[in-house]
Amino acid sequence: MGGARAGPDDTVVGWATVDNPTGEGREFVEVYVDPVRAATVRAPSLVRQLDRVAERAGERGLPSLTVRCAVFAPERDWEHSLRELRFALVERYVRMSRTGCRSARCTPRTRRSTSSRAG
C-alpha cells in the first residue's frame, strides 16, 4: 500500500492498494484520492501500482497477471485514465449491502470493473 501526500502539513490525500487473496490469477488494484487536492496523482499512482503488479508476477515466476480496477459511473476522468493504459470494461454489476438502513445513503451503486495485464 502506498500513500500520496500534499501540502506542508504532509496530509495524506490518497492511497493505493493491491489485493489478491489467492495469490493467483487477478490482482485487484484500488487508487483513492481526494478529488480536489490530489486528482493529478491518481493516474501516476496507478502506474506505480501496475509496476508493483509486474514485480509480483515476476516473484511468482509468472509472465503476467490480470489487473482489475473498479470504476463508478461518475468517475469519467478515472475511466479515461484506465483506458489510456489499455484497460477494457469487462463487467458491470450492482452491489448493495442491507443492514436495515432506509436512508438515501443505502441506495445501490453501479460499479464497473476494468481489466488489463501487467508483466
Side-chain angles (χ1 to χ4, degrees):
M1 178 166 36
R5 301 180 185 276
D9 61 355
D10 208 26
T11 302
V12 174
V13 295
W15 67 93
T17 63
V18 176
D19 186 36
N20 184 340
T22 66
E24 299 175 5
R26 286 185 231 161
E27 305 279 285
F28 196 81
V29 172
E30 292 278 16
V31 181
Y32 298 101
V33 298
D34 178 314
V36 174
R37 297 185 295 165
T40 59
V41 301
R42 194 170 192 186
S45 294
L46 173 63
V47 170
R48 183 175 171 187
Q49 294 301 94
L50 294 177
D51 290 344
R52 180 62 189 123
V53 170
E55 291 172 6
R56 289 165 60 110
E59 291 165 1
R60 296 179 190 142
L62 301 172
S64 65
L65 284 167
T66 298
V67 177
R68 289 224 171 155
C69 294
V71 177
F72 292 94
E75 297 178 303
R76 298 291 180 221
D77 291 340
W78 179 232
E79 182 177 355
H80 180 73
S81 295
L82 290 167
R83 289 183 183 274
E84 282 183 341
L85 291 168
R86 299 183 316 199
F87 278 78
L89 186 64
V90 294
E91 60 188 23
R92 183 176 187 154
Y93 58 94
V94 175
R95 66 183 177 138
M96 181 176 78
S97 297
R98 294 184 56 132
T99 59
C101 181
R102 299 189 191 284
S103 74
R105 294 178 316 176
C106 296
T107 57
R109 292 179 283 173
T110 300
R111 178 177 177 150
R112 293 188 277 176
S113 180
T114 58
S115 195
S116 185
R117 299 201 55 91

